[in-house]
């Protein structure tokens, strides 16, 4: 098993610290708003990673944290006149709704930063004893960046190139502008539920120290895999390394994984550009209530979004654009059409087969899902050609390893999607309920039985214009799907 290591900048062999066990920590969400598409890519990418490691037989302990104390959370709470835990609980529930929609399995542990403050204080005390932390005149406790010799080894930046992270306000009280905060002294206007007692006075932890404490408390050091989004490599992960290794020595993690950026029409997704989209905006129904964390989603669109993410390599830059979404929808629909036409059985994967071996070889090469998906397409084409139910069953079973192709085909094909026709939407189709479509089909069948083929053809054409495709199958039955 080879994995690209952001630390060594090459593919390294996975060598677990403990035989057959994997300790994986992934930086999760700061829960002050709904998850966006960049989060979707991170969630799905590392879901595939942990699924495949378990498939190989590893005993995986997957930890993905929740940051529930942060400046952005405090600003949201103040703006909405709510307590911090009300804000964070709501958006954590909303994140879980997004995970369910995208078929993302829950991590084994989902620690919240506010429950690990004591562990953070202990790390800060160890850093202070090692001469790497100091309390400045404004009450903050900071990390001495220039005193940690390996600072910059993950990001590859020299000290001269570095700037304080975007969440860090440079203070005149710091010994060096590069020093980052470990503990923030509270201010009078701060909400009471954002304050903790500590040896350094009343305050709250800095963002970076949170993950150092949570990963150590739950998994120890070194981690087998530490992962996160592309924007976390610097400064967050760089600072995690400095904190954990500066306090306790050794290595924080043996392998560092970062998924690639998600672009929108070739521009980086951002609120300032107006191309910022949440997961629920893309796959949800038009009846989403922003005051409710859970929501109804179009299963066909949710499957499309996961398929869209998985068929690209997790490290590649991925462009979220209408044409790409249409292409993904057409592709995943082909799989379900094949499953619906040829049929399938629930089977175990035959890892001795040539297709499964090719799939495994791709996944063992740094989770190369594009090549693994190519194997599935090859199986689909062959199974369709030869009407091979057993091969179609194996294809579906392998798809399950990636978290796709697990819906019942007929139910899936009847579900709604806005992304099935290039440059168009299916608004007319969504107006037709399943019962209404069945009624039209019954009327068409009666017309055919009465040899009124003109009326039967007219009903077929009307349904097609409304985004409904009919297929006459054996036994005089008619199947339908939304196109």
């Amino acid at each position: 098993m080879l994995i690209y290591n952001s630390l060594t900048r090459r593919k390294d062999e996975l060598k677990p610290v403990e035989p057959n066990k994997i300790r994986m920590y992934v930086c999760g969400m700061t829960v002050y708003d709904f998850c966006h598409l960049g989060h979707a890519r991170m969630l799905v990418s590392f879901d595939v990673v942990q699924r495949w490691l378990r498939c190989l037989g590893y005993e995986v302990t997957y930890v993905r944290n929740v940051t529930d104390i942060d400046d952005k959370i405090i600003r949201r709470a103040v703006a909405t006149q709510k307590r911090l835990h009300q804000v964070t609980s709501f958006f954590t529930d909303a994140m879980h709704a997004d995970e369910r929609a995208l078929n993302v399995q829950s991590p084994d542990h989902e620690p919240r930063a506010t429950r690990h403050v004591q562990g953070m204080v202990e790390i800060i005390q160890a850093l202070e004893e090692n001469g790497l932390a100091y309390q400045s005149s404004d009450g903050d406790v900071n990390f001495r960046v220039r005193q940690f010799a390996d600072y910059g080894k993950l990001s590859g930046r020299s000290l001269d190139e570095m700037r304080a992270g975007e969440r860090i306000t440079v203070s005149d009280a710091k010994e060096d502008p590069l020093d980052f905060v470990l503990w923030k002294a509270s201010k009078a206007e701060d909400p009471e539920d954002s304050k903790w007692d500590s040896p350094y006075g009343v305050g709250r932890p800095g963002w970076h120290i949170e993950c150092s404490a949570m990963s150590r408390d739950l998994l120890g050091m070194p981690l087998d895999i530490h992962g996160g989004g592309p924007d976390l490599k610097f400064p967050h992960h760089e600072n995690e390394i400095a904190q954990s290794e500066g306090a306790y020595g050794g290595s924080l993690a043996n392998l560092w994984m970062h998924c690639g950026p998600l672009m929108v029409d070739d521009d980086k997704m951002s609120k300032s550009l107006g191309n910022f989209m949440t997961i629920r905006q893309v796959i949800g129904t038009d009846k989403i209530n922003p005051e409710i964390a859970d929501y109804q989603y179009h299963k066909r669109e949710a499957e499309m979004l996961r398929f869209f993410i998985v068929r690209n390599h997790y490290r590649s830059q991925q462009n979220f654009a209408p044409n790409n979404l249409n292409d993904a929808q057409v592709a995943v629909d082909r799989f379900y059409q094949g499953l619906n036409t040829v049929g399938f059985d629930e089977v175990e994967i035959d890892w001795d087969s040539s297709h499964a071996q090719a799939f495994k070889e791709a996944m063992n090469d740094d989770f190369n899902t594009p090549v693994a998906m190519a194997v599935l397409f090859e199986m689909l084409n062959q199974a369709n050609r030869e009407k091979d139910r057993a091969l179609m069953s194996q294809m579906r079973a392998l798809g399950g390893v990636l978290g796709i192709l697990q819906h019942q085909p007929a139910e899936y094909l009847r579900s709604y999607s806005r992304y099935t026709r290039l440059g168009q939407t299916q608004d007319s189709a969504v107006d037709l309920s399943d019962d209404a479509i069945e009624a039209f089909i019954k009327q068409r069948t009666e017309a055919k039985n009465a040899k009124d083929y003109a009326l039967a053809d007219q009903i077929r054409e009307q349904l097609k214009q409304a985004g409904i495709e009919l297929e006459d199958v054996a036994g005089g039955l008619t199947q339908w799907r939304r196109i």
Side-chain angles (χ1 to χ4, degrees):
M1 177 81 227
L2 296 176
I3 300 175
Y4 183 84
N5 190 348
S6 300
L7 183 64
T8 61
R9 298 166 185 78
R10 65 171 183 259
K11 292 180 185 178
D12 288 337
E13 186 177 350
L14 176 62
K15 297 179 179 179
V17 175
E18 296 182 69
N20 235 25
K21 295 184 178 181
I22 299 293
R23 294 178 292 177
M24 183 168 80
Y25 183 90
V26 173
C27 291
M29 260 59 76
T30 301
V31 283
Y32 72 99
D33 205 346
F34 295 113
C35 292
H36 57 65
L37 293 175
H39 294 142
R41 189 172 196 197
M42 183 277 291
L43 288 168
V44 171
S45 294
F46 286 102
D47 182 56
V48 169
V49 169
Q50 65 90 20
R51 283 173 182 260
W52 180 245
L53 293 175
R54 295 181 200 276
C55 191
L56 291 178
Y58 287 109
E59 182 182 328
V60 179
T61 304
Y62 177 26
V63 178
R64 193 187 68 227
N65 76 292
V66 169
T67 295
D68 61 348
I69 179 65
D70 177 86
D71 290 347
K72 293 180 180 179
I73 295 171
I74 292 172
R75 286 196 292 269
R76 183 80 178 224
V78 171
T80 57
Q81 297 183 323
K82 294 180 179 178
R83 295 181 64 82
L84 264 64
H85 77 86
Q86 291 177 299
V87 172
T88 58
S89 294
F90 176 85
F91 286 113
T92 299
D93 289 344
M95 176 187 71
H96 291 157
D98 291 331
E99 291 173 12
R100 288 190 293 272
L102 294 175
N103 195 24
V104 171
Q105 295 175 341
S106 299
D108 298 296
H109 301 282
E110 191 177 67
R112 300 190 180 203
T114 53
R115 299 173 187 173
H116 292 263
V117 174
Q118 181 56 40
M120 300 171 203
V121 171
E122 291 173 3
I123 295 175
I124 295 171
Q125 290 176 315
L127 290 170
E128 188 177 31
E129 291 172 6
N130 293 342
L132 290 170
Y134 65 95
Q135 188 162 21
S136 52
S137 59
D138 58 4
D140 289 354
V141 181
N142 304 299
F143 185 94
R144 289 188 174 99
V145 167
R146 294 185 188 274
Q147 296 301 310
F148 184 71
D150 284 338
Y151 197 83
K153 66 179 180 180
L154 178 65
S155 61
R157 303 187 185 195
S158 67
L159 291 177
D160 291 335
E161 294 174 321
M162 293 179 185
R163 297 292 183 268
E166 62 183 51
R167 297 195 185 198
I168 301 171
T169 301
V170 177
S171 168
D172 293 336
K174 290 182 179 180
E175 294 177 355
D176 189 302
L178 290 179
D179 294 348
F180 60 88
V181 69
L182 300 167
W183 185 263
K184 293 185 176 185
S186 289
K187 297 177 176 57
E189 64 271 20
D190 289 343
E192 287 303 312
D193 52 354
S194 70
K195 299 176 181 179
W196 284 264
D197 289 325
S198 81
Y200 308 101
V202 177
R204 64 179 186 271
W207 173 41
H208 310 298
I209 197 72
E210 296 175 358
C211 284
S212 285
M214 287 183 281
S215 65
R216 181 171 183 269
D217 287 352
L218 288 165
L219 297 172
M221 291 173 57
L223 306 169
D224 293 297
I225 297 173
H226 194 316
D231 56 327
L232 297 185
K233 185 183 295 185
F234 181 87
H236 184 54
H237 288 163
E238 195 74 73
N239 291 352
E240 274 191 71
I241 290 173
Q243 293 161 164
S244 298
E245 298 181 6
Y248 302 110
S251 297
L252 171 56
N254 291 336
L255 284 163
W256 285 85
M257 295 180 66
H258 295 91
C259 57
L262 185 71
M263 315 295 283
V264 177
D265 287 331
D266 295 317
D267 289 320
K268 185 175 180 179
M269 186 177 63
S270 70
K271 290 183 178 179
S272 61
L273 291 175
N275 61 1
F276 180 90
M277 298 181 71
T278 66
I279 296 170
R280 60 189 56 208
Q281 284 175 326
V282 174
I283 65 175
T285 68
D286 57 359
K287 298 177 182 178
I288 293 177
N289 185 343
E291 302 300 319
I292 299 176
D294 205 354
Y295 66 102
Q296 296 296 315
Y297 58 89
H298 298 300
K299 66 175 59 178
R300 197 168 176 184
E301 294 179 353
E303 177 92 346
M304 175 276 297
L305 183 55
R306 184 177 178 106
F307 186 95
F308 168 75
I309 293 170
V310 168
R311 76 172 182 175
N312 286 264
H313 195 276
Y314 77 91
R315 284 192 288 114
S316 67
Q317 178 175 296
Q318 189 169 14
N319 189 29
F320 184 90
N323 286 1
N324 294 340
L325 298 183
N326 288 319
D327 290 346
Q329 189 70 79
V330 169
V332 73
D333 283 357
R334 280 185 56 204
F335 280 98
Y336 278 100
Q337 288 161 12
L339 288 165
N340 191 54
T341 302
V342 177
F344 66 92
D345 301 300
E346 300 288 350
V347 298
E348 297 291 329
I349 297 171
D350 177 11
W351 289 110
D352 292 328
S353 70
S354 59
H355 289 113
Q357 285 292 311
F359 183 96
K360 183 176 183 178
E361 183 179 350
M363 293 298 290
N364 279 344
D365 182 14
D366 193 31
F367 308 97
N368 197 332
T369 54
V371 174
M373 290 293 296
V375 174
L376 298 187
F377 274 107
E378 181 182 331
M379 296 174 75
L380 173 67
N381 292 336
Q382 182 180 340
N384 278 334
R385 234 179 9 253
E386 300 172 4
K387 302 293 187 261
D388 190 333
R389 185 183 180 96
L391 184 59
M392 194 69 77
S393 302
Q394 284 291 313
M395 181 206 72
R396 183 175 185 270
L398 285 171
V401 175
L402 303 177
I404 58 175
L405 308 182
Q406 301 307 292
H407 293 296
Q408 290 301 312
E411 181 182 351
Y412 167 89
L413 290 168
R414 292 183 180 186
S415 60
Y416 169 72
S417 177
R418 289 164 287 193
Y419 303 101
T420 53
R421 288 180 287 175
L422 188 63
Q424 298 183 34
T425 63
Q426 231 184 281
D427 294 336
S428 56
V430 78
D431 291 335
L432 285 177
S433 68
D434 290 3
D435 289 342
I437 294 167
E438 294 289 355
F440 277 118
I441 291 174
K442 181 180 179 181
Q443 183 182 356
R444 176 174 175 267
T445 300
E446 291 172 350
K448 288 170 63 179
N449 290 338
K451 300 187 184 304
D452 189 349
Y453 298 115
L455 176 58
D457 290 343
Q458 180 182 347
I459 293 171
R460 174 191 281 274
E461 184 60 28
Q462 286 176 337
L463 286 173
K464 185 175 182 180
Q465 291 299 317
I468 308 298
E469 184 172 83
L470 304 183
E471 180 183 4
D472 294 322
V473 295
L477 300 177
T478 301
Q479 295 179 341
W480 62 269
R481 68 183 184 92
R482 300 183 192 270
I483 58 175

